[in-house]
Amino acid sequence: MSQTVSAGGFALREQSSYYQGLSFAGNATSGPSISSVFWNPATITSAKDGLTAELHNTFIIPRSYIDVSPSSTLAAYGDSGDIASDAWVGSTYLSYKVNDRIYVGLGVNAPFGLSTKPNFTWAGQVYNRSSKVFSINANPMIGYKVNDVLSIALGAQIEYMSVRLKSASSAAIGAASSALEGDDVGFGVTAGVTIKPMKGTEIGLGYRSGVSHSLSGSLYTPVVIGLLPPGTYNITSDLITPDTVTLSAKQSINDKLRLLGSVEWANWSRLKQPAVKLDPSGLQITSLRFNYKDGYFASLGGEYDYNDHLTFRAGIAYEWSPIDTSIRSARLPDNNRIWLSGGATYNVNGKLSLDFGYSHIFGTDTKLRIGPGHQDFNGVSLIADVDSSVDILSASLRYTF
Protein backbone atom coordinates (compact mmCIF):
# COMPACT_ATOMS: atom_id res chain seq x y z
CA MET A 1 0.00 0.00 0.00
CA SER A 2 1.64 3.21 -1.12
CA GLN A 3 -0.46 5.25 1.29
CA THR A 4 -0.81 5.00 5.05
CA VAL A 5 -3.61 2.82 6.38
CA SER A 6 -5.15 4.32 9.49
CA ALA A 7 -8.25 4.03 11.64
CA GLY A 8 -9.99 6.29 14.16
CA GLY A 9 -11.22 6.67 17.73
CA PHE A 10 -13.36 3.57 17.41
CA ALA A 11 -14.47 2.75 20.97
CA LEU A 12 -18.17 1.94 21.46
CA ARG A 13 -19.68 3.60 24.52
CA GLU A 14 -23.13 2.11 23.89
CA GLN A 15 -23.04 -0.79 26.36
CA SER A 16 -26.19 -0.09 28.42
CA SER A 17 -29.77 0.93 27.66
CA TYR A 18 -30.14 2.13 31.26
CA TYR A 19 -27.15 4.50 31.17
CA GLN A 20 -27.85 5.51 27.56
CA GLY A 21 -30.77 7.53 28.92
CA LEU A 22 -28.38 9.38 31.28
CA SER A 23 -25.68 10.11 28.67
CA PHE A 24 -23.74 7.61 30.84
CA ALA A 25 -23.75 9.81 33.92
CA GLY A 26 -23.15 7.71 37.05
CA ASN A 27 -22.17 4.64 35.01
CA ALA A 28 -19.49 3.54 37.51
CA THR A 29 -21.94 3.56 40.45
CA SER A 30 -24.42 0.83 41.32
CA GLY A 31 -28.12 0.86 40.50
CA PRO A 32 -30.90 -1.46 39.42
CA SER A 33 -29.02 -2.26 36.19
CA ILE A 34 -25.95 -4.49 36.50
CA SER A 35 -24.64 -3.09 33.18
CA SER A 36 -22.53 -0.68 35.27
CA VAL A 37 -20.02 -3.56 35.63
CA PHE A 38 -18.70 -2.70 32.16
CA TRP A 39 -17.17 0.47 33.64
CA ASN A 40 -16.74 -0.67 37.26
CA PRO A 41 -16.93 -4.37 38.23
CA ALA A 42 -17.29 -3.47 41.94
CA THR A 43 -20.89 -2.41 41.30
CA ILE A 44 -21.78 -6.10 41.03
CA THR A 45 -21.94 -6.20 44.85
CA SER A 46 -25.26 -4.34 44.67
CA ALA A 47 -26.91 -7.03 42.53
CA LYS A 48 -30.05 -8.77 43.80
CA ASP A 49 -30.05 -12.19 45.44
CA GLY A 50 -29.96 -15.11 43.04
CA LEU A 51 -29.15 -14.91 39.32
CA THR A 52 -29.78 -11.71 37.35
CA ALA A 53 -29.58 -11.57 33.55
CA GLU A 54 -29.69 -8.49 31.31
CA LEU A 55 -29.94 -8.33 27.52
CA HIS A 56 -29.21 -4.96 25.89
CA ASN A 57 -29.85 -4.03 22.25
CA THR A 58 -28.62 -0.73 20.86
CA PHE A 59 -29.23 0.59 17.35
CA ILE A 60 -26.77 3.26 16.16
CA ILE A 61 -27.94 5.40 13.23
CA PRO A 62 -25.10 7.72 12.17
CA ARG A 63 -24.77 10.07 9.23
CA SER A 64 -21.45 11.53 8.07
CA TYR A 65 -20.76 13.38 4.82
CA ILE A 66 -17.36 14.60 3.65
CA ASP A 67 -18.03 17.70 1.53
CA VAL A 68 -14.98 18.17 -0.68
CA SER A 69 -13.48 21.59 -1.44
CA PRO A 70 -12.71 22.54 -5.07
CA SER A 71 -9.07 22.96 -3.95
CA SER A 72 -8.73 19.18 -3.45
CA THR A 73 -6.56 17.34 -6.00
CA LEU A 74 -9.38 15.01 -7.10
CA ALA A 75 -12.30 17.39 -6.46
CA ALA A 76 -13.83 16.40 -9.82
CA TYR A 77 -14.41 12.88 -8.43
CA GLY A 78 -17.00 14.29 -6.03
CA ASP A 79 -17.96 14.04 -2.37
CA SER A 80 -17.93 10.92 -0.21
CA GLY A 81 -21.66 10.39 0.17
CA ASP A 82 -22.76 9.10 3.57
CA ILE A 83 -19.74 7.13 4.80
CA ALA A 84 -21.39 5.93 8.04
CA SER A 85 -23.12 2.57 8.44
CA ASP A 86 -26.05 1.76 10.70
CA ALA A 87 -25.15 -0.77 13.37
CA TRP A 88 -26.59 -2.98 16.09
CA VAL A 89 -24.60 -3.41 19.30
CA GLY A 90 -25.60 -6.13 21.74
CA SER A 91 -24.48 -6.55 25.36
CA THR A 92 -25.23 -9.29 27.87
CA TYR A 93 -24.65 -9.29 31.62
CA LEU A 94 -25.03 -11.95 34.31
CA SER A 95 -24.60 -11.66 38.08
CA TYR A 96 -24.91 -14.18 40.90
CA LYS A 97 -24.81 -13.53 44.63
CA VAL A 98 -22.80 -16.35 46.19
CA ASN A 99 -23.22 -15.06 49.75
CA ASP A 100 -23.42 -11.74 51.61
CA ARG A 101 -19.78 -10.95 50.69
CA ILE A 102 -18.99 -12.57 47.34
CA TYR A 103 -20.58 -11.90 43.96
CA VAL A 104 -19.60 -13.25 40.53
CA GLY A 105 -20.56 -12.00 37.09
CA LEU A 106 -19.97 -11.99 33.37
CA GLY A 107 -20.22 -9.30 30.72
CA VAL A 108 -20.15 -9.96 26.97
CA ASN A 109 -19.69 -6.80 24.90
CA ALA A 110 -18.38 -5.25 21.70
CA PRO A 111 -16.11 -2.52 23.13
CA PHE A 112 -14.64 -1.44 19.78
CA GLY A 113 -16.22 -1.13 16.36
CA LEU A 114 -16.08 0.92 13.18
CA SER A 115 -17.69 0.76 9.75
CA THR A 116 -17.25 3.49 7.14
CA LYS A 117 -17.76 3.14 3.39
CA PRO A 118 -17.73 6.18 1.07
CA ASN A 119 -18.58 6.14 -2.62
CA PHE A 120 -16.26 3.81 -4.58
CA THR A 121 -15.02 6.74 -6.69
CA TRP A 122 -14.60 9.97 -4.78
CA ALA A 123 -12.00 12.66 -4.11
CA GLY A 124 -10.49 10.76 -1.16
CA GLN A 125 -10.49 7.25 -2.61
CA VAL A 126 -6.75 6.80 -2.04
CA TYR A 127 -7.35 7.39 1.69
CA ASN A 128 -10.51 5.34 2.27
CA ARG A 129 -12.72 2.97 0.32
CA SER A 130 -13.90 1.08 3.36
CA SER A 131 -12.88 0.59 6.99
CA LYS A 132 -14.15 -2.05 9.40
CA VAL A 133 -13.23 -2.92 12.98
CA PHE A 134 -15.08 -5.65 14.87
CA SER A 135 -14.59 -6.88 18.44
CA ILE A 136 -16.22 -9.12 21.01
CA ASN A 137 -15.10 -9.20 24.66
CA ALA A 138 -15.91 -11.63 27.46
CA ASN A 139 -15.37 -10.21 30.97
CA PRO A 140 -15.73 -12.61 33.92
CA MET A 141 -15.41 -10.89 37.31
CA ILE A 142 -15.60 -11.38 41.06
CA GLY A 143 -16.68 -8.76 43.60
CA TYR A 144 -16.15 -8.62 47.35
CA LYS A 145 -18.31 -6.54 49.68
CA VAL A 146 -15.94 -5.55 52.48
CA ASN A 147 -18.74 -3.86 54.44
CA ASP A 148 -21.72 -1.61 53.79
CA VAL A 149 -19.36 1.23 52.80
CA LEU A 150 -16.66 -0.39 50.65
CA SER A 151 -16.71 -2.92 47.80
CA ILE A 152 -13.91 -4.05 45.47
CA ALA A 153 -13.72 -6.26 42.38
CA LEU A 154 -11.39 -7.73 39.76
CA GLY A 155 -12.08 -9.12 36.31
CA ALA A 156 -10.43 -10.56 33.22
CA GLN A 157 -10.90 -9.65 29.55
CA ILE A 158 -10.76 -12.10 26.65
CA GLU A 159 -11.13 -10.13 23.43
CA TYR A 160 -11.33 -11.02 19.75
CA MET A 161 -10.64 -8.20 17.29
CA SER A 162 -10.57 -8.06 13.51
CA VAL A 163 -9.58 -5.15 11.25
CA ARG A 164 -10.13 -4.68 7.50
CA LEU A 165 -9.03 -1.53 5.65
CA LYS A 166 -9.38 -0.80 1.93
CA SER A 167 -8.29 2.11 -0.26
CA ALA A 168 -7.73 2.81 -3.94
CA SER A 169 -4.30 1.78 -5.19
CA SER A 170 -4.03 4.96 -7.30
CA ALA A 171 -5.84 8.19 -8.15
CA ALA A 172 -7.22 6.75 -11.40
CA ILE A 173 -10.97 6.29 -11.80
CA GLY A 174 -11.78 2.63 -11.27
CA ALA A 175 -8.39 1.85 -9.72
CA ALA A 176 -8.25 -1.52 -7.97
CA SER A 177 -8.35 -1.53 -4.17
CA SER A 178 -5.53 -2.36 -1.82
CA ALA A 179 -6.68 -4.27 1.29
CA LEU A 180 -5.16 -4.95 4.68
CA GLU A 181 -6.81 -7.30 7.17
CA GLY A 182 -5.91 -9.14 10.35
CA ASP A 183 -7.34 -10.54 13.57
CA ASP A 184 -6.27 -11.79 16.99
CA VAL A 185 -7.40 -12.81 20.48
CA GLY A 186 -5.91 -10.75 23.33
CA PHE A 187 -6.23 -10.47 27.10
CA GLY A 188 -6.65 -7.74 29.70
CA VAL A 189 -8.07 -6.98 33.16
CA THR A 190 -10.71 -4.84 34.85
CA ALA A 191 -10.84 -3.53 38.43
CA GLY A 192 -12.98 -1.25 40.52
CA VAL A 193 -14.09 0.10 43.87
CA THR A 194 -17.30 1.64 45.22
CA ILE A 195 -17.61 3.75 48.36
CA LYS A 196 -20.89 4.64 50.06
CA PRO A 197 -19.81 7.11 52.77
CA MET A 198 -23.38 7.92 53.83
CA LYS A 199 -26.92 6.99 52.96
CA GLY A 200 -27.86 8.22 49.49
CA THR A 201 -24.26 8.93 48.40
CA GLU A 202 -22.03 6.70 46.28
CA ILE A 203 -18.68 7.14 44.53
CA GLY A 204 -17.38 4.60 42.03
CA LEU A 205 -14.00 4.25 40.34
CA GLY A 206 -13.50 1.71 37.54
CA TYR A 207 -10.61 0.65 35.31
CA ARG A 208 -10.51 -1.30 32.05
CA SER A 209 -7.01 -2.14 30.87
CA GLY A 210 -5.90 -2.02 27.28
CA VAL A 211 -5.85 -5.31 25.42
CA SER A 212 -2.71 -6.17 23.49
CA HIS A 213 -3.35 -7.68 20.05
CA SER A 214 -0.83 -9.23 17.67
CA LEU A 215 -2.91 -8.99 14.52
CA SER A 216 -2.05 -11.52 11.84
CA GLY A 217 -3.52 -11.49 8.38
CA SER A 218 -2.77 -10.38 4.85
CA LEU A 219 -1.98 -7.39 2.68
CA TYR A 220 -3.18 -7.41 -0.92
CA THR A 221 -1.73 -4.88 -3.34
CA PRO A 222 -2.46 -4.63 -7.06
CA VAL A 223 0.56 -2.33 -7.52
CA VAL A 224 4.25 -2.45 -6.69
CA ILE A 225 5.18 -1.48 -3.10
CA GLY A 226 8.89 -0.73 -2.91
CA LEU A 227 10.57 -3.96 -4.02
CA LEU A 228 7.40 -6.03 -3.60
CA PRO A 229 5.50 -6.94 -6.77
CA PRO A 230 1.69 -6.99 -6.83
CA GLY A 231 0.22 -9.85 -4.83
CA THR A 232 -0.95 -11.01 -1.42
CA TYR A 233 1.45 -11.10 1.53
CA ASN A 234 1.16 -12.40 5.10
CA ILE A 235 1.54 -9.61 7.64
CA THR A 236 1.57 -8.97 11.40
CA SER A 237 0.98 -5.82 13.47
CA ASP A 238 1.07 -5.31 17.23
CA LEU A 239 -1.72 -3.04 18.49
CA ILE A 240 -2.91 -2.25 22.01
CA THR A 241 -6.33 -0.75 22.73
CA PRO A 242 -6.61 2.21 25.13
CA ASP A 243 -7.14 1.64 28.82
CA THR A 244 -9.90 3.71 30.45
CA VAL A 245 -10.59 5.10 33.92
CA THR A 246 -14.13 6.13 34.91
CA LEU A 247 -15.02 8.14 38.03
CA SER A 248 -18.71 8.51 38.91
CA ALA A 249 -20.85 9.87 41.72
CA LYS A 250 -24.52 9.51 42.62
CA GLN A 251 -26.44 11.58 45.15
CA SER A 252 -30.02 11.04 46.29
CA ILE A 253 -31.85 14.33 46.74
CA ASN A 254 -34.91 12.62 48.22
CA ASP A 255 -36.64 9.25 47.96
CA LYS A 256 -37.59 9.89 44.34
CA LEU A 257 -34.88 12.10 42.80
CA ARG A 258 -31.20 11.31 42.16
CA LEU A 259 -28.40 13.30 40.50
CA LEU A 260 -25.49 11.53 38.77
CA GLY A 261 -22.23 12.46 37.12
CA SER A 262 -19.20 10.84 35.46
CA VAL A 263 -15.81 11.74 34.04
CA GLU A 264 -13.73 9.38 31.91
CA TRP A 265 -10.17 9.30 30.63
CA ALA A 266 -9.17 7.09 27.69
CA ASN A 267 -5.49 6.47 27.00
CA TRP A 268 -5.68 6.70 23.20
CA SER A 269 -2.20 8.23 23.03
CA ARG A 270 -0.66 4.81 23.69
CA LEU A 271 -1.57 3.60 20.18
CA LYS A 272 1.19 5.62 18.45
CA GLN A 273 1.77 4.10 14.98
CA PRO A 274 2.00 0.29 15.01
CA ALA A 275 4.25 -1.14 12.32
CA VAL A 276 2.83 -3.50 9.68
CA LYS A 277 5.46 -6.15 8.96
CA LEU A 278 5.86 -9.00 6.53
CA ASP A 279 5.52 -12.42 8.13
CA PRO A 280 7.88 -14.14 8.80
CA SER A 281 10.69 -11.81 7.63
CA GLY A 282 9.72 -8.90 9.94
CA LEU A 283 10.32 -6.31 7.20
CA GLN A 284 8.19 -3.20 7.84
CA ILE A 285 6.14 -2.19 4.81
CA THR A 286 3.80 0.44 6.29
CA SER A 287 2.29 1.52 9.60
CA LEU A 288 -1.06 2.29 11.21
CA ARG A 289 -0.52 5.97 11.95
CA PHE A 290 -2.83 6.86 14.83
CA ASN A 291 -0.77 9.33 16.92
CA TYR A 292 -3.94 10.24 18.85
CA LYS A 293 -4.22 12.39 21.92
CA ASP A 294 -5.97 11.08 25.02
CA GLY A 295 -9.76 11.25 25.02
CA TYR A 296 -12.06 12.63 27.74
CA PHE A 297 -15.78 12.42 28.48
CA ALA A 298 -17.91 14.22 31.08
CA SER A 299 -21.63 13.81 31.75
CA LEU A 300 -24.38 14.94 34.13
CA GLY A 301 -27.82 13.43 34.56
CA GLY A 302 -30.77 12.86 36.81
CA GLU A 303 -33.54 10.33 37.32
CA TYR A 304 -36.96 10.54 38.92
CA ASP A 305 -39.18 7.75 40.24
CA TYR A 306 -42.64 8.65 38.96
CA ASN A 307 -44.12 5.71 40.88
CA ASP A 308 -43.11 2.19 41.93
CA HIS A 309 -43.23 0.99 38.33
CA LEU A 310 -41.94 3.90 36.25
CA THR A 311 -38.69 5.91 36.38
CA PHE A 312 -37.68 8.71 34.00
CA ARG A 313 -34.10 9.90 33.36
CA ALA A 314 -32.16 12.39 31.23
CA GLY A 315 -28.56 13.44 30.74
CA ILE A 316 -26.13 15.66 28.85
CA ALA A 317 -22.47 15.05 28.02
CA TYR A 318 -19.47 16.48 26.21
CA GLU A 319 -16.86 14.26 24.58
CA TRP A 320 -13.34 15.43 23.73
CA SER A 321 -12.14 13.39 20.77
CA PRO A 322 -8.57 12.05 20.64
CA ILE A 323 -8.47 13.26 17.01
CA ASP A 324 -7.87 16.82 15.80
CA THR A 325 -7.37 18.47 12.41
CA SER A 326 -3.62 17.81 12.36
CA ILE A 327 -4.16 14.01 12.23
CA ARG A 328 -7.83 13.60 11.22
CA SER A 329 -8.21 10.87 8.58
CA ALA A 330 -10.79 10.10 5.90
CA ARG A 331 -11.40 6.71 7.53
CA LEU A 332 -13.01 8.21 10.64
CA PRO A 333 -13.21 12.03 10.60
CA ASP A 334 -14.05 12.22 14.31
CA ASN A 335 -14.28 15.38 16.43
CA ASN A 336 -15.62 16.64 19.78
CA ARG A 337 -19.31 15.84 20.35
CA ILE A 338 -22.30 16.91 22.44
CA TRP A 339 -24.71 14.26 23.80
CA LEU A 340 -28.37 14.78 24.75
CA SER A 341 -30.24 11.75 26.13
CA GLY A 342 -33.45 10.59 27.74
CA GLY A 343 -34.80 7.28 28.95
CA ALA A 344 -37.09 5.33 31.23
CA THR A 345 -37.40 2.10 33.19
CA TYR A 346 -40.63 0.14 33.58
CA ASN A 347 -40.67 -2.38 36.42
CA VAL A 348 -43.19 -5.00 35.36
CA ASN A 349 -42.90 -6.80 38.70
CA GLY A 350 -40.27 -7.63 41.30
CA LYS A 351 -38.33 -9.78 38.83
CA LEU A 352 -38.79 -8.25 35.37
CA SER A 353 -37.77 -4.73 34.27
CA LEU A 354 -37.46 -3.00 30.89
CA ASP A 355 -35.04 -0.13 30.17
CA PHE A 356 -35.21 2.32 27.27
CA GLY A 357 -32.72 4.97 26.18
CA TYR A 358 -32.31 7.49 23.36
CA SER A 359 -29.41 9.82 22.51
CA HIS A 360 -28.77 12.40 19.84
CA ILE A 361 -25.14 13.32 19.24
CA PHE A 362 -24.26 16.67 17.70
CA GLY A 363 -20.92 16.81 15.88
CA THR A 364 -19.00 20.05 16.27
CA ASP A 365 -17.42 21.96 13.35
CA THR A 366 -15.10 19.42 11.69
CA LYS A 367 -12.48 20.06 9.03
CA LEU A 368 -10.46 17.51 7.06
CA ARG A 369 -7.13 18.87 5.87
CA ILE A 370 -4.92 16.18 4.30
CA GLY A 371 -2.09 18.03 2.63
CA PRO A 372 1.69 18.45 2.89
CA GLY A 373 2.75 17.82 6.49
CA HIS A 374 -0.27 15.62 7.33
CA GLN A 375 0.68 12.08 8.39
CA ASP A 376 -1.57 10.52 5.70
CA PHE A 377 -0.50 12.75 2.79
CA ASN A 378 0.73 10.84 -0.27
CA GLY A 379 0.64 13.56 -2.93
CA VAL A 380 -3.17 13.83 -3.15
CA SER A 381 -4.64 16.79 -1.23
CA LEU A 382 -8.05 16.27 0.36
CA ILE A 383 -9.58 19.47 1.74
CA ALA A 384 -13.12 19.07 3.07
CA ASP A 385 -15.69 19.85 5.72
CA VAL A 386 -17.44 17.03 7.56
CA ASP A 387 -21.11 17.08 8.56
CA SER A 388 -21.95 14.40 11.14
CA SER A 389 -24.62 13.45 13.66
CA VAL A 390 -25.83 10.26 15.35
CA ASP A 391 -29.13 8.95 16.69
CA ILE A 392 -29.07 6.04 19.14
CA LEU A 393 -32.00 3.88 20.25
CA SER A 394 -31.56 1.30 22.99
CA ALA A 395 -33.74 -1.18 24.88
CA SER A 396 -33.00 -3.91 27.41
CA LEU A 397 -34.66 -6.61 29.48
CA ARG A 398 -33.60 -7.48 33.02
CA TYR A 399 -34.80 -10.58 34.87
CA THR A 400 -33.86 -11.95 38.28
CA PHE A 401 -34.31 -15.68 38.86
Side-chain angles (χ1 to χ4, degrees), residues 142-340:
I142 182 169
Y144 183 73
K145 191 173 186 178
V146 179
N147 50 43
D148 290 339
V149 174
L150 177 65
S151 293
I152 57 175
L154 289 172
Q157 298 184 67
I158 305 97
E159 182 174 275
Y160 170 79
M161 175 175 282
S162 66
V163 178
R164 182 177 177 86
L165 308 173
K166 288 185 176 182
S167 53
S169 56
S170 75
I173 292 179
S177 295
S178 300
L180 182 148
E181 58 184 318
D183 62 359
D184 180 58
V185 175
F187 304 91
V189 299
T190 62
V193 58
T194 61
I195 301 173
K196 299 177 181 179
M198 63 187 73
K199 184 179 179 181
T201 302
E202 181 179 352
I203 299 170
L205 180 65
Y207 171 73
R208 289 183 70 89
S209 77
V211 176
S212 180
H213 289 282
S214 294
L215 301 173
S216 61
S218 64
L219 169 67
Y220 167 72
T221 174
V223 297
V224 174
I225 302 178
L227 300 177
L228 297 178
T232 301
Y233 299 91
N234 294 329
I235 58 93
T236 62
S237 184
D238 294 331
L239 178 151
I240 186 166
T241 61
D243 40 4
T244 59
V245 176
T246 305
L247 175 65
S248 296
K250 178 171 63 176
Q251 178 63 54
S252 296
I253 305 303
N254 53 44
D255 291 341
K256 291 182 175 291
L257 179 64
R258 294 167 295 281
L259 297 180
L260 306 94
S262 288
V263 292
E264 179 187 280
W265 165 76
N267 189 15
W268 282 104
S269 60
R270 74 185 308 171
L271 269 68
K272 306 299 183 185
Q273 46 184 44
V276 177
K277 301 178 181 179
L278 288 177
D279 185 28
S281 70
L283 175 67
Q284 180 174 340
I285 51 177
T286 186
S287 62
L288 305 173
R289 296 182 183 175
F290 297 100
N291 294 314
Y292 292 170
K293 304 178 298 180
D294 289 343
Y296 300 89
F297 183 86
S299 58
L300 290 172
E303 56 182 6
Y304 177 76
D305 298 329
Y306 181 75
N307 55 37
D308 291 342
H309 290 280
L310 187 60
T311 297
F312 295 105
R313 59 184 59 89
I316 186 170
Y318 192 85
E319 185 170 12
W320 290 265
S321 172
I323 300 169
D324 60 22
T325 305
S326 65
I327 59 169
R328 186 171 293 118
S329 78
R331 293 198 179 277
L332 182 60
D334 195 21
N335 200 3
N336 300 344
R337 299 186 286 183
I338 299 168
W339 293 63
L340 291 178

Side-chain angles (χ1 to χ4, degrees), residues 12-17 24 35 38-39 56 91 93 109-111:
L12 292 175
R13 191 175 304 281
E14 296 78 12
Q15 307 297 337
S16 167
S17 306
F24 301 96
S35 59
F38 179 84
W39 296 275
H56 295 251
S91 301
Y93 302 94
N109 306 83

Side-chain angles (χ1 to χ4, degrees), residues 48-66:
K48 291 182 178 180
D49 293 352
L51 175 67
T52 298
E54 288 188 8
L55 306 175
H56 295 251
N57 295 273
T58 300
F59 298 90
I60 304 174
I61 308 168
R63 57 180 297 276
S64 184
Y65 294 86
I66 300 176

